[in-house]
Amino acid sequence: MGFLPLSYRRPEYVDKEEFQPINSIVTENEESNASLKSGSSRSSSGIPDALTFDKVMSGATCPPCTIRDFMNYLLYVEHAAENLQFLLWYRDYIRRFNRADTLYTDLSPRWTQAMEDETAAKIQRDAIDRLRREPQTAITIPKGTDFEKEVADVVAVENKNPFSTPPRTPSVNDASSCRSGSQVSGYRTHIQDVFSAAGTTQPFTVQPFRAELNRIIATYIMVDSPRQLNLSSRQRKLAVQALAHTTHPSALRSVARSVEDTLRRQAHPNFIRWSIGNGNRSRACFAQVMGAATVGISTVGAILLSLSGANRGWRVLFAVGWTLGIATMVAAGKGMCVILHGMHRRHVRPWELFDCSTTDVTPPSEAPNEEGSELEEGRRNGAGTSLDSFGSSNSYEDEPWVVRYERRNVVRKVFDREVWVQEPALRQIQDVIFMQSVLVGLLGAGVLTAVFVSVPAGRFF
């Protein structure tokens, strides 16, 4: 692991509402070529090689940058855990399909690029023909009347398409996102309607993993599904028609590419940026207030000393306060507390505070998991709900820690539990940011010192 320069900058924040994933169809050559490397994308600048997306996914990182931490970030902060849940299932499905007996896998032919192009073109032609068949008569309705509202309701009902583009993440107040486990288990009653709406016939039930892929459709692809992916109408129809033809993993390669691209170029840089902060929001605000107070007290002291008859040299002493105050404010602006950083510790996340599995508060003595079994490790440590491929929606408002953390007073939040920062690459990033903050503090203190030293003594007292 190389050293980071002092000119290092954190990864830029990527707004998920403005991010546009790659929606183009993947060729078979691109499928086998790892063209989306974290270090090669523009939005991933500022991420060292030890914290790339592939390192996190393979389990080669330490807390707080493991795949479990990534999942918790997507679940509780980004509110888009379905992307990682689907990708973990897809990669595991490829391994299981390739290990299965060829006697059964031969029943599921590969979904080739030519078949995908032909299906995409057919979907496009059907959409154009449907628009041509629709009546083009314009209806003039007076605005602000009850007729306008009734017509809008009728149009909304008629235009309801099971493959319409959904919002990025199901809303908490959306009734469809709060389905119970019994509702999800009844997915079979909706699968037939999904295939019919996509304009395809019912699939062959003798194909391997057919029941599992039906659950994938009901969990991730179908509109209003518990973990609905942010797919376009074209991607949704294309995936369903491909799955109606075969259960080969290539049927979902375009969906997997879009999901992985979102994780690599949007979610992962935001996760690393968020992980750099070692304190919670209350601690960061507290550090900024203390830094501003230190700068203010030092400035008031320098003003009083300038108005007195004391020697000018005494004013240099306030440079210490200015340096500490400015450095504290700069670091706190990036989510870091200099006191916690001095001990290489971080605050425990709110969802970890009441988790009995988070008990390690001493520096680790074991190496990170090198076998890529973070999925099983996360399940053993209590993250099985979010790491499971199937389940209800990713709503966490009913989890016990939410209410208990809200009841904690500000003082307890400022001085929450601390744990050791185990990831060496993250500690190195924090060291560089700390040095940058100190240099900014020294520069600011030098300017203020020069100003106050150059002012002649007032000799008022």
Side-chain angles (χ1 to χ4, degrees):
M1 181 176 61
F3 293 98
L4 297 175
L6 285 177
S7 59
Y8 169 83
R9 297 185 61 182
R10 295 181 300 167
E12 296 291 338
Y13 178 78
V14 184
D15 191 350
K16 67 178 182 179
E17 299 297 335
E18 299 178 358
F19 177 78
Q20 295 294 333
I22 295 177
N23 293 327
S24 60
I25 300 175
V26 188
T27 64
E28 294 182 0
N29 293 332
E30 288 175 332
E31 180 186 5
S32 60
N33 182 20
S35 59
L36 291 174
K37 295 299 182 183
S38 297
S40 62
S41 61
R42 176 184 58 83
S43 60
S44 299
S45 59
I47 301 178
D49 294 338
L51 295 177
T52 58
F53 178 79
D54 298 310
K55 292 285 188 180
V56 175
M57 294 296 293
S58 62
T61 53
C62 298
C65 298
T66 63
I67 193 172
R68 179 190 179 187
D69 298 306
F70 191 22
M71 179 67 76
N72 288 334
Y73 167 79
L74 292 174
L75 179 63
Y76 300 121
V77 181
E78 194 86 6
H79 307 299
E82 61 273 2
N83 290 324
L84 183 57
Q85 290 164 342
F86 175 82
L87 185 61
L88 289 174
W89 168 85
Y90 182 72
R91 292 185 172 184
D92 180 68
Y93 179 71
I94 293 177
R95 290 192 294 267
R96 289 187 288 114
F97 189 91
N98 293 333
R99 290 197 305 260
D101 191 347
T102 55
L103 180 64
Y104 299 101
T105 56
D106 289 342
L107 298 174
S108 297
R110 186 180 186 84
W111 183 251
T112 63
Q113 185 63 43
M115 299 168 62
E116 189 162 342
D117 293 339
E118 181 181 355
T119 304
K122 182 178 181 299
I123 293 175
Q124 185 70 19
R125 290 195 303 269
D126 293 342
I128 295 176
D129 294 340
R130 185 171 57 254
L131 291 176
R132 291 176 178 175
R133 289 194 302 267
E134 290 181 356
Q136 301 296 328
T137 305
I139 304 176
T140 304
I141 302 297
K143 294 184 177 181
T145 62
D146 294 337
F147 296 101
E148 180 186 16
K149 184 181 300 184
E150 293 176 0
V151 172
D153 294 339
V154 172
V155 172
V157 172
E158 291 179 351
N159 291 339
K160 186 175 182 182
N161 189 339
F163 296 99
S164 58
T165 303
R168 298 191 65 89
T169 303
S171 173
V172 176
N173 298 325
D174 190 358
S176 62
S177 65
C178 300
R179 294 184 177 182
S180 62
S182 60
Q183 289 175 311
V184 176
S185 63
Y187 69 94
R188 296 178 180 86
T189 59
H190 304 285
I191 293 299
Q192 184 176 0
D193 297 335
V194 172
F195 285 111
S196 299
T200 183
T201 58
Q202 296 298 311
F204 297 103
T205 58
V206 295
Q207 291 177 331
F209 306 104
R210 171 55 63 187
E212 181 178 356
L213 286 176
N214 287 344
R215 292 188 64 188
I216 288 297
I217 295 175
T219 305
Y220 295 98
I221 299 178
M222 188 175 65
V223 173
D224 291 337
S225 55
R227 300 177 179 181
Q228 182 179 343
L229 297 174
N230 183 47
L231 303 174
S232 65
S233 175
R234 175 176 172 273
Q235 284 180 301
R236 208 174 301 276
K237 285 186 177 181
L238 187 60
V240 172
Q241 293 196 19
L243 291 174
H245 177 77
T246 180
T247 59
H248 194 277
S250 58
L252 288 171
R253 62 169 172 252
S254 60
V255 176
R257 178 184 172 89
S258 177
V259 169
E260 184 173 350
D261 181 58
T262 301
L263 290 172
R264 283 184 180 273
R265 300 196 297 118
Q266 187 268 325
H268 177 252
N270 290 350
F271 167 64
I272 299 300
R273 178 186 175 92
W274 175 79
S275 300
I276 292 174
N278 59 5
N280 54 30
R281 183 176 301 177
S282 300
R283 184 60 170 258
C285 294
F286 176 76
Q288 286 184 326
V289 171
M290 294 300 297
T294 303
V295 173
I297 293 174
S298 301
T299 303
V300 171
I303 292 174
L304 293 177
L305 203 60
S306 300
L307 296 176
S308 67
N311 190 284
R312 295 186 183 184
W314 292 104
R315 305 174 195 176
V316 180
L317 296 177
F318 294 101
V320 177
W322 286 323
T323 302
L324 295 177
I326 295 176
T328 300
M329 286 191 298
V330 172
K334 298 180 180 180
M336 280 184 51
C337 173
V338 293
I339 297 178
L340 291 176
H341 172 70
M343 301 179 292
H344 285 300
R345 302 178 79 83
R346 65 173 179 89
H347 270 162
V348 177
R349 310 300 183 191
W351 48 87
E352 298 173 338
L353 276 172
F354 310 101
D355 184 3
C356 59
S357 64
T358 309
T359 56
D360 182 19
V361 296
T362 58
S365 58
E366 297 181 358
N369 184 9
E370 297 292 344
E371 299 180 356
S373 59
E374 282 288 340
L375 183 60
E376 296 298 329
E377 180 184 358
R379 287 170 177 169
R380 291 194 301 268
N381 291 339
T385 302
S386 59
L387 288 173
D388 284 342
S389 301
F390 304 100
S392 59
S393 61
N394 293 319
S395 177
Y396 63 89
E397 285 74 13
D398 295 333
E399 295 186 10
W401 69 265
V402 177
V403 177
R404 296 178 63 181
Y405 187 75
E406 289 179 352
R407 292 176 179 175
R408 297 170 73 91
N409 55 54
V410 178
V411 177
R412 292 191 64 186
K413 291 181 180 179
V414 171
F415 300 99
D416 260 339
R417 283 175 50 197
E418 306 167 5
V419 292
W420 175 261
V421 179
Q422 301 181 30
E423 176 54 50
L426 190 64
R427 293 200 303 266
Q428 188 180 44
I429 293 177
Q430 293 173 343
D431 291 339
V432 173
I433 293 178
F434 174 75
M435 291 301 300
Q436 293 173 345
S437 303
V438 172
L439 291 177
V440 174
L442 290 173
L443 180 60
V447 173
L448 291 174
T449 302
V451 171
F452 278 98
V453 169
S454 61
V455 174
R459 302 186 184 279
F460 290 100
F461 52 91

